[in-house]
Amino acid sequence: MLDQAVKAYSRPPVIAARRGSPALRQCCDSYICPVCTQVVELTDYRQVLWHQQPGHQPMDFEA
């Protein structure tokens, strides 16, 4: 009986993940820091690490 149930179950085809154009993905590449309200670009690891510190000030991009 179990053998019949396994054969009757058909899995949907596996479709590779499709990524949209960079303009469509831009919404997910940044966020607003809840501590200092600065926009953090997730593609810049330095910014991500800076904004993980508790009680930090906005990041100075001139330095």
Side-chain angles (χ1 to χ4, degrees):
M1 184 166 159
L2 182 59
D3 187 39
Q4 293 172 349
V6 172
K7 286 182 182 177
Y9 177 74
S10 63
R11 298 169 82 184
V14 176
I15 300 173
R18 295 185 185 110
R19 295 190 71 178
S21 66
L24 294 176
R25 290 193 322 257
Q26 189 173 11
C27 68
C28 303
D29 289 342
S30 62
Y31 72 95
I32 297 176
C33 177
V35 176
C36 67
T37 67
Q38 191 174 29
V39 176
V40 180
E41 297 292 329
L42 293 173
T43 56
D44 186 354
Y45 192 62
R46 186 177 57 126
Q47 290 183 29
V48 173
L49 288 178
W50 178 267
H51 290 278
Q52 294 299 316
Q53 300 174 40
H56 64 271
Q57 296 296 317
M59 188 174 188
D60 183 18
F61 293 108
E62 299 296 321

